[in-house]
Amino acid sequence: MPFKTTKITPVLLAGGSGSRLWPVSRDQLPKQFQPLVGDLSTYQQTLKRVSDPALYGAPVVITNEDFRFFAQHQAKEVGVPSTVVLEPARRDSAAAMAAAAVLAERRSPGGLVLALAADHVVLDEGLFSDAVKLGCKAALEGHIVVFGLTPTEPRTSYGYINPGAPFNGEADLHLVEGFVEKPNAETAIGYLQKGYLWNSGNFLFRSDMMIAELQAYAPDILAAVQSSVEQAETDLGFLRLHKESFEGSPKDSIDYAVIEKTKKIAVVRGHFRWSDIGSWDAIWEVAPKSAKDNAIVGEGLALGSEGCLIHSTGMMTTVVGAKDLVVVVTQDAVLVVPKARAQEVKGLVESLKSGGYSGITETHKRGYRPWGYVEEMLTGDRFAVKRLVIDPGARTSLQSHMNRAEHWVVVGGTATVTIDDTTSILTENESIYVPLGKVHRIANKGRVALELIEVRTGAYIKDDDVLRVEDDYSRKLSL
């Protein structure tokens, strides 16, 4: 029977972090924006999953200030332009869900909203669409719909759903009798025997229905978010929620604030493969494997080994004679951990921060900018060598430095370089010197990426030595 309803508004929640996936996931570029499984990030995979124009409207992405340009850029890369909404503070998922409902209600009163975590993996898109269409039957009648998965093992890191009576006779659509959060192993085995489902943490609902339930069970959160939306401002294509109003929202998850209290709740039993990829052992589970159950992402080789994960973005990584081991390599860090202890990586990150190594938990050697990215290659006491890649049509801010000079060598593309009142055009193998204190800018007016090698020299060479005279991206003029 053909599916008939108004278009669903997809809302991607993309503001979280993922310390259990260090060293790939870091504070300034967390797991949802990383290609952990496949060539695309999970954020991009989620955008493509809701790109069918027959079923979905234009997506809304809710993220925070630090990720705004990256979220916008990655959406354009996969051809799914989105409205990017900026949370001015971290207030957990209840405030984000409230913002999703209020914004969707403004777009289409009483319309359907599909709220998805941007850091989950779904491997069967057709089966996922089937689950969404089935869930619409309950959502249109005023239920909040959650998506449950049949457990494959007694996982203690997932929440569970107790499905009740079938909804309108549907075999895979039920009312919900109750939720249980992360049980111990013995209890989880009992849940499997009773037919409980894993809770995927994704929701389908009518916008007016979610607003009504928030009003009933979390009115303080709803009031703060409604005020922040009413006073929101558009800035460089982003919708920036009002800071003071949003900060007035209590911190709470949508599960505790509404889902576990409402009586209007239903569950779809999904038949798609799913993972919240919350840790490296979860990455191993969903990654393609060899005959010996080894999963290799990037450059790696496993000899005489079984059940291992190699995830390398920094260099060729090899293991010999290992079993059930996780080896993760980036350009500046290496993680080796037994697969069974992968959950302990979060504690490792906390130890690094408290031990004076917070920098390596926060940033990568490659740092993204609204115009492209900068990649650290070599650093000394009074010099640094970096690789700059500037997107077509983009340019850096007009800026100067108090403590360093810069040398630029073009290795690809064409650079338009301004130093004070002089503008020069540089092509491959040409270079230019920017003296200390001179106002300067690099622009890429071409149609291909511009790549340069930058050599910084001086008494202080860190990024915060910059005075911006003009900036296309409304960043702070002085750091």
Side-chain angles (χ1 to χ4, degrees):
M1 183 172 65
F3 174 75
K4 294 181 180 179
T5 186
T6 55
K7 288 187 178 181
I8 301 167
T9 298
V11 176
L12 278 66
L13 307 181
S17 59
S19 58
R20 288 184 179 89
L21 291 176
W22 184 86
V24 173
S25 178
R26 304 191 188 184
D27 292 348
Q28 293 186 14
L29 194 60
K31 63 177 181 175
Q32 61 265 28
F33 299 114
Q34 300 280 7
L36 292 166
V37 181
D39 296 330
L40 299 177
S41 69
T42 56
Y43 167 69
Q44 291 175 309
Q45 292 173 8
T46 307
L47 282 172
K48 288 178 69 68
R49 196 178 310 131
V50 294
S51 61
D52 180 1
L55 185 58
Y56 300 106
V60 174
V61 175
I62 299 180
T63 188
N64 65 48
E65 184 83 11
D66 292 340
F67 313 144
R68 63 194 190 281
F69 292 109
F70 206 74
Q72 188 181 65
H73 180 73
Q74 281 205 347
K76 289 179 179 178
E77 278 187 335
V78 293
V80 189
S82 308
T83 299
V84 179
V85 180
L86 303 181
E87 290 182 297
R90 294 181 184 271
R91 286 297 180 269
D92 214 326
S93 60
M97 199 71 74
V102 171
L103 289 166
E105 178 71 7
R106 287 188 164 202
R107 176 188 287 188
S108 177
L112 291 177
V113 179
L114 178 63
L116 300 172
D119 57 358
H120 291 186
V121 168
V122 171
L123 297 178
D124 307 290
E125 293 190 5
L127 294 176
F128 174 79
S129 293
D130 291 343
V132 172
K133 293 174 184 178
L134 179 59
C136 286
K137 296 182 178 182
L140 287 170
E141 293 191 20
H143 289 77
I144 298 173
V145 178
V146 297
F147 296 89
L149 287 305
T150 301
T152 57
E153 59 179 310
R155 292 288 294 264
T156 59
S157 57
Y158 290 161
Y160 286 75
I161 301 169
N162 182 11
F167 184 88
N168 290 346
E170 295 286 350
D172 288 327
L173 181 60
H174 295 254
L175 298 175
V176 171
E177 285 196 4
F179 293 88
V180 184
E181 282 300 315
K182 299 178 181 177
N184 59 35
E186 182 179 354
T187 304
I189 292 172
Y191 290 159
L192 266 65
Q193 295 170 343
K194 294 176 182 178
Y196 283 32
L197 303 173
W198 281 339
N199 183 5
S200 74
N202 298 293
F203 305 94
L204 176 68
F205 52 84
R206 273 193 354 231
S207 55
D208 60 335
M209 179 61 197
M210 179 60 79
I211 290 171
E213 296 302 276
L214 284 161
Q215 181 62 54
Y217 299 110
D220 293 348
I221 294 174
L222 179 63
V225 170
Q226 284 177 324
S227 178
S228 72
V229 171
E230 288 169 1
Q231 300 177 72
E233 296 180 349
T234 301
D235 178 21
L236 294 174
F238 303 104
L239 183 65
R240 190 183 301 276
L241 300 178
H242 186 253
K243 186 174 188 295
E244 287 74 18
S245 299
F246 196 83
E247 287 178 337
S249 171
K251 291 183 179 180
D252 204 354
S253 73
I254 190 63
D255 299 272
Y256 291 123
V258 172
I259 301 302
E260 295 182 4
K261 297 174 182 177
T262 180
K263 305 301 181 184
K264 301 175 181 178
I265 190 83
V267 58
V268 172
R269 182 191 302 272
H271 296 284
F272 51 89
R273 289 171 294 169
W274 163 89
S275 174
D276 68 352
I277 57 169
S279 55
W280 284 112
D281 57 324
I283 296 288
W284 173 83
E285 288 178 357
V286 297
K289 301 179 187 66
S290 68
K292 294 291 186 180
D293 273 343
N294 296 308
I296 298 176
V297 181
E299 296 180 282
L301 179 65
L303 292 179
S305 300
E306 183 179 349
C308 293
L309 169 66
I310 299 175
H311 191 291
S312 177
T313 55
M315 61 190 73
M316 171 56 74
T317 302
T318 60
V319 297
V320 178
K323 185 174 182 179
D324 295 332
L325 201 63
V326 172
V327 181
V328 185
V329 179
T330 65
Q331 291 179 320
D332 58 351
V334 176
L335 169 71
V336 180
V337 61
K339 203 164 57 186
R341 300 182 65 178
Q343 295 288 338
E344 297 178 34
V345 174
K346 183 177 181 179
L348 169 66
V349 171
E350 293 170 355
S351 296
L352 287 169
K353 289 182 177 181
S354 62
Y357 296 97
S358 60
I360 204 167
T361 69
E362 296 170 356
T363 62
H364 285 272
K365 281 185 174 291
R366 177 180 292 187
Y368 288 88
R369 308 289 190 269
W371 43 259
Y373 63 85
V374 179
E375 191 168 66
E376 180 182 325
M377 299 177 69
L378 182 64
T379 300
D381 290 337
R382 294 179 59 89
F383 75 93
V385 181
K386 297 178 180 284
R387 175 181 175 228
L388 277 61
V389 176
I390 300 175
D391 296 331
R395 61 181 184 174
T396 66
S397 60
L398 188 64
Q399 60 184 251
S400 64
H401 310 293
M402 295 179 61
N403 300 289
R404 73 173 186 255
E406 294 173 335
H407 306 252
W408 293 327
V409 181
V410 177
V411 295
T414 300
T416 301
V417 178
T418 300
I419 302 176
D420 283 347
D421 297 327
T422 302
T423 298
S424 305
I425 307 296
L426 304 179
T427 58
E428 190 172 329
N429 294 323
E430 293 184 321
S431 63
I432 198 167
Y433 169 62
V434 185
L436 183 150
K438 294 289 186 179
V439 175
H440 58 276
R441 162 180 269 158
I442 314 171
N444 180 6
K445 297 183 179 181
R447 296 183 179 180
V448 298
L450 167 63
E451 184 174 351
L452 308 97
I453 300 299
E454 175 183 272
V455 180
R456 300 178 181 181
T457 58
Y460 186 83
I461 55 175
K462 292 186 178 180
D463 288 339
D464 57 358
D465 175 23
V466 59
L467 176 63
R468 296 190 178 107
V469 179
E470 179 183 294
D471 184 55
D472 295 342
Y473 312 103
S474 300
R475 292 172 295 177
K476 292 179 181 179
L477 295 183
S478 175
L479 295 181

